[in-house]
C-alpha cells in the first residue's frame, strides 16, 4: 500500500485546525477531536478539533462583515478575482488530487482526470458567468411607468457539503454564491475537510477578500444545525441524504430562509432491446462504479429489456471481473476503497440481505491480502431482484449494480419512475423516438441517452421528487443565489393619479 510520502502536503498549514475563518486557519472550540482516516489503510492522517456553535458564529460574523464590500464589487471585479482563483487551483492541481485521494480513497487517476479538472473548469465557468447576471430589460408595461428587474445577492449563505466529492461539492456551493456577490460559510463533512480548507486558502491566494469564503468543520447536529438556523444566514444549500435534507428543511423553514436541496438518488439505467449491447455493458460498469459507487447519480438500477437481459448480465459480470481494486495512489488502480469501514460494512449488509431473495452474480465480498486493512469492496452485480426489494428501492451508495428485466417499453419507463428519487437516469436505444420518449417521461433532473455520468459546467444539476429542488452549476444556479427586485418609475409627473380615486375622492 502507499507510503507516508503520499501524506497530505498542506498538513502543516492547517496544524492549528480545520476551520478557516476571515482568511486564516483556526482551531475548533467544541472540545471534541476528530481524525481524518485514510480509508485505504485505516490510518489517521489528520487530527483536528471539531467546530462548535461559537465557531459557526465567528464564521457567520466574518461573512456578514465581508458582505457589504464584496456585494458592492462590479461583476467584472468578481470575474477577475475568480479567473485568478481558477489559475491558483490549476497551479496546485496535483496537491489537490493527492489530498482528495488520501482522505476519500479515490483512485488518483479519478482525482487527476475528473475531480480536480472539473473543479477548475467550474471555477473558470463562474468567472465568466459573473458578468452575466442580468435582469429583464426595461419596459413600459403599465403605460405610465417604466419597469426593470434588479438581480441582487442574498447575503450570507450557509452551505453543507457531503463527503463523496468534497472538492467538487465545495466548488458547487462556493462558486455561484460568490460570483453573485454573496459571502459563504461552508460546512464540509467531518470525514473529508482537507480539500475544502485548501479551496478556501486558494481563494485568499487569488485575492478574494477575507471573510468571503469561510469553512467550519463540525458535527451536523452541532455546527450544521446551528449554521442552518443562524439568524444572519439568509440562504441554506445542502447536499446529502434525503433524511437529513428533511431535517435541514425543518430548521431553515423556522427562519424563512431560501433553501436549495440536492438529495439522494437511485438512478435507473434503461436498456431497450435495440441498444448497442457492448456500449450499454461498458456504460453500466463505468456508471455504477464511478467513485466506488458513492455518487448520487451513479447507475444503480439497470432495467434491461428481456431479449438482451441474459447477455447484459453476463457481459457486466465479465467486465466487472477485470476491474482492478487496489491502492488509490497506484495509477493502474480502477477502484479504491469506500470512504470508511462503516460505509463498507453498510454496503456489505445490503448485499448479504439480498442473497435471500436475489442472485449475486459477481463480487459481493471484501478482498483480503494487502487490501484487508482498508474499506475495500469488490464490484458487485445482483440480478433477479424484485422491484419492491431493498436493493432496488434503497440508496446503497457503493459499487453495486442491480439488474431487473422488463418486457414492454411502457413497463421499462414505469419501473424507472417507480422510486421516490428523481436525480438522474439514462436510456439506451438506437431509436430516436424511443430515446425521445424516455427523455420526456422519465422523471429526473438529468436524462442521458446512450451514456451515463458526464456532467458539464454549462448545464444544471438537480433533482425531481425526493431528490430535492434547485440547481447546482450553470447559470440556472444563480436563481438560487440571487433575489429579484422589481423597480418601477413613474413617467407622468402627475401628482393626482387616476387610480387614486379608488381610495379617495371622485374622478
Amino acid at each position: 500500500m502507499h507510503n507516508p510520502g503520499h501524506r497530505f502536503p498542506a498538513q502543516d498549514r492547517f496544524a492549528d485546525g480545520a476551520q478557516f475563518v476571515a482568511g486564516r486557519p483556526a482551531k475548533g472550540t467544541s472540545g471534541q477531536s476528530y481524525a481524518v482516516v485514510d480509508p485505504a489503510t485505516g490510518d489517521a492522517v489528520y487530527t483536528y478539533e471539531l467546530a462548535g456553535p461559537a465557531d459557526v458564529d465567528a464564521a457567520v460574523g466574518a461573512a456578514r462583515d465581508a458582505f457589504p464590500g464584496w456585494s458592492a464589487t462590479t461583476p467584472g471585479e468578481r470575474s477577475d478575482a475568480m479567473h485568478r482563483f481558477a489559475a491558483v487551483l490549476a497551479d496546485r492541481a496535483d496537491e489537490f488530487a493527492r489530498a482528495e485521494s488520501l482522505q476519500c480513497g479515490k483512485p488518483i487517476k479519478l482525482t487527476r482526470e475528473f475531480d480536480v479538472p472539473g473543479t477548475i473548469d467550474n471555477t473558470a465557468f463562474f468567472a465568466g458567468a459573473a458578468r452575466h447576471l442580468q435582469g429583464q430589460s426595461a419596459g413600459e408595461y403599465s403605460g405610465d411607468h417604466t419597469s426593470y428587474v434588479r438581480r441582487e445577492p442574498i447575503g450570507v449563505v450557509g452551505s453543507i457539503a457531503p463527503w463523496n466529492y468534497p472538492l467538487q461539492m465545495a466548488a458547487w456551493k462556493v462558486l455561484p454564491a460568490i460570483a453573485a456577490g454573496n459571502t459563504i460559510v461552508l460546512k464540509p463533512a467531518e470525514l473529508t475537510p482537507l480539500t475544502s480548507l485548501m479551496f478556501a486558502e486558494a481563494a485568499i491566494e487569488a485575492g478574494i477578500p477575507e471573510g468571503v469564503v469561510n469553512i467550519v468543520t463540525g458535527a451536523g447536529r452541532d455546527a450544521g444545525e446551528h449554521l442552518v438556523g443562524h439568524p444572519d444566514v439568509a440562504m441554506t444549500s445542502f447536499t446529502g441524504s434525503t433524511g437529513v435534507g428533511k431535517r435541514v428543511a425543518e430548521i431553515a423553514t423556522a427562519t424563512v430562509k431560501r433553501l436549495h436541496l440536492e438529495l439522494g438518488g437511485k438512478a435507473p439505467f434503461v436498456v431497450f432491446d435495440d441498444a448497442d449491447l457492448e456500449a450499454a455493458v461498458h456504460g453500466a460498469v463505468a456508471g455504477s462504479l464511478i467513485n466506488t459507487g458513492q455518487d448520487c447519480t451513479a447507475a444503480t438500477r439497470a432495467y434491461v429489456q428481456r431479449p438482451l437481459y441474459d447477455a447484459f448480465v453476463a457481459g457486466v459480470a465479465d467486465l466487472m471481473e477485470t476491474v482492478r481494486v487496489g491502492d488509490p495512489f497506484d495509477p493502474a488502480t480502477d477502484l479504491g476503497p469506500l470512504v470508511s469501514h462503516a460505509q463498507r460494512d453498510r454496503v456489505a449488509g445490503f448485499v448479504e440481505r439480498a442473497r435471500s431473495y436475489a442472485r449475486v452474480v459477481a463480487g459481493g465480498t471484501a478482498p483480503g491480502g494487502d487490501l484487508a486493512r482498508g474499506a475495500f469492496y469488490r464490484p458487485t452485480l445482483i440480478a433477479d431482484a424484485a422491484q419492491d426489494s431493498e436493493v432496488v428501492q434503497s440508496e446503497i451508495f457503493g459499487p453495486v449494480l442491480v439488474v431487473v428485466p422488463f418486457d414492454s417499453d411502457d413497463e421499462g419507463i414505469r419501473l424507472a419512475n417507480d422510486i421516490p428519487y428523481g436525480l438522474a437516469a439514462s436510456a439506451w436505444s438506437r431509436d430516436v423516438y424511443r430515446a425521445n420518449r424516455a427523455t420526456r417521461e422519465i422523471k429526473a433532473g438529468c436524462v442521458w441517452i446512450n451514456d451515463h455520468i458526464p456532467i458539464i459546467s454549462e448545464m444544471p444539476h438537480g433533482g425531481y421528487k425526493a431528490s430535492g429542488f434547485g440547481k447546482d452549476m450553470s447559470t440556472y444556479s444563480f436563481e438560487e443565489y440571487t433575489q429579484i427586485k422589481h423597480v418601477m418609475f413613474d413617467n407622468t409627473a402627475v401628482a393626482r393619479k387616476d387610480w387614486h380615486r379608488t381610495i379617495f375622492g371622485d374622478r
Side-chain angles (χ1 to χ4, degrees):
M1 297 301 293
H2 52 275
N3 59 52
H6 295 303
R7 288 173 60 82
F8 175 46
Q11 201 168 53
D12 292 341
R13 302 203 298 274
F14 298 109
D16 289 336
Q19 323 304 322
F20 196 88
V21 178
R24 58 190 62 85
K27 186 177 181 179
T29 62
S30 71
Q32 298 177 304
S33 64
Y34 197 91
V36 175
V37 174
D38 175 356
T41 63
D43 296 333
V45 295
Y46 178 61
T47 302
Y48 65 94
E49 297 292 318
L50 290 167
D55 305 300
V56 173
D57 290 341
V60 171
R64 183 187 60 231
D65 292 345
F67 177 72
W70 182 247
S71 62
T73 57
T74 66
E77 289 169 334
R78 292 197 297 274
S79 176
D80 289 347
M82 294 182 71
H83 278 298
R84 295 193 300 270
F85 193 6
V88 171
L89 296 174
D91 287 343
R92 295 174 55 188
D94 195 61
E95 183 184 3
F96 273 99
R98 288 180 172 276
E100 196 78 331
S101 289
L102 182 67
Q103 67 179 352
C104 300
K106 296 171 184 277
I108 192 69
K109 68 178 181 179
L110 181 68
T111 58
R112 283 175 172 163
E113 298 178 32
F114 184 77
D115 296 70
V116 175
T119 300
I120 295 168
D121 181 75
N122 211 226
T123 307
F125 170 80
F126 278 106
R131 290 180 176 267
H132 299 284
L133 276 163
Q134 297 98 343
Q136 190 171 342
S137 299
E140 287 68 50
Y141 297 97
S142 78
D144 291 337
H145 306 82
T146 295
S147 289
Y148 68 87
V149 170
R150 289 178 56 85
R151 187 181 290 274
E152 298 180 345
I154 294 173
V156 177
V157 175
S159 290
I160 300 176
W163 47 255
N164 59 330
Y165 287 102
L167 177 60
Q168 286 194 312
M169 293 298 100
W172 285 17
K173 302 301 184 193
V174 169
L175 296 173
I178 67 172
N182 302 287
T183 56
I184 188 168
V185 178
L186 172 72
K187 193 197 90 65
E190 305 95 294
L191 287 169
T192 54
L194 302 178
T195 47
S196 296
L197 293 165
M198 293 168 62
F199 194 70
E201 179 188 55
I204 292 293
E205 187 176 339
I208 293 173
E210 297 176 359
V212 172
V213 179
N214 306 274
I215 308 293
V216 290
T217 311
R221 290 186 177 180
D222 298 324
E225 292 198 2
H226 191 63
L227 177 62
V228 174
H230 200 290
D232 291 334
V233 170
M235 177 202 166
T236 291
S237 178
F238 171 80
T239 296
S241 71
T242 297
V244 177
K246 291 177 181 178
R247 175 60 179 159
V248 169
E250 290 174 0
I251 299 170
T253 300
T255 51
V256 199
K257 285 181 170 55
R258 178 79 66 88
L259 184 60
H260 165 221
L261 298 175
E262 197 264 87
L263 306 176
K266 187 74 176 174
F269 185 102
V270 183
V271 182
F272 294 104
D273 58 13
D274 67 330
D276 181 323
L277 180 62
E278 182 182 16
V281 165
H282 281 78
V285 173
S288 63
L289 300 185
I290 185 171
N291 202 37
T292 318
Q294 299 166 125
D295 186 312
C296 48
T297 65
T300 58
R301 299 178 291 142
Y303 296 104
V304 183
Q305 207 152 22
R306 208 169 292 275
L308 295 184
Y309 181 75
D310 290 339
F312 180 88
V313 170
V316 168
D318 289 345
L319 190 55
M320 278 186 170
E321 292 296 333
T322 71
V323 173
R324 297 164 294 186
V325 181
D327 180 356
F329 285 92
D330 182 343
T333 291
D334 298 319
L335 194 78
L338 286 101
V339 74
S340 68
H341 288 77
Q343 181 65 14
R344 190 271 312 275
D345 293 344
R346 179 180 179 275
V347 170
F350 276 100
V351 177
E352 290 308 306
R353 291 189 295 275
R355 293 184 192 276
S356 67
Y357 57 80
R359 180 165 54 104
V360 177
V361 181
T365 60
D370 292 341
L371 303 182
R373 290 174 57 203
F376 293 92
Y377 199 76
R378 296 187 189 281
T380 299
L381 177 65
I382 298 174
D384 305 337
Q387 175 66 13
D388 62 355
S389 64
E390 181 186 47
V391 290
V392 173
Q393 293 291 322
S394 299
E395 190 172 26
I396 299 172
F397 229 56
V400 179
L401 176 65
V402 182
V403 189
V404 177
F406 70 91
D407 292 304
S408 68
D409 289 16
D410 289 348
E411 182 188 16
I413 291 175
R414 178 181 62 78
L415 292 172
N417 286 329
D418 182 27
I419 200 83
Y421 304 108
L423 187 59
S426 65
W428 298 73
S429 174
R430 292 184 174 96
D431 186 323
V432 67
Y433 299 102
R434 264 180 161 172
N436 273 327
R437 180 188 178 190
T439 65
R440 291 193 309 271
E441 297 186 15
I442 293 177
K443 305 303 180 186
C446 174
V447 180
W448 293 284
I449 298 298
N450 296 326
D451 207 345
H452 195 108
I453 283 299
I455 55 174
I456 50 176
S457 297
E458 292 82 358
M459 289 291 113
H461 175 86
Y464 284 31
K465 302 189 292 185
S467 291
F469 48 82
K471 299 299 179 185
D472 287 307
M473 299 198 300
S474 83
T475 56
Y476 289 99
S477 66
F478 285 137
E479 301 300 324
E480 319 304 327
Y481 294 96
T482 57
Q483 48 197 357
I484 301 301
K485 178 184 289 182
H486 170 217
V487 178
M488 179 179 269
F489 282 87
D490 171 59
N491 293 332
T492 67
V494 173
R496 186 172 179 179
K497 306 293 195 293
D498 185 57
W499 71 268
H500 291 178
R501 68 182 176 80
T502 64
I503 313 302
F504 62 91
D506 300 318
R507 187 183 295 274

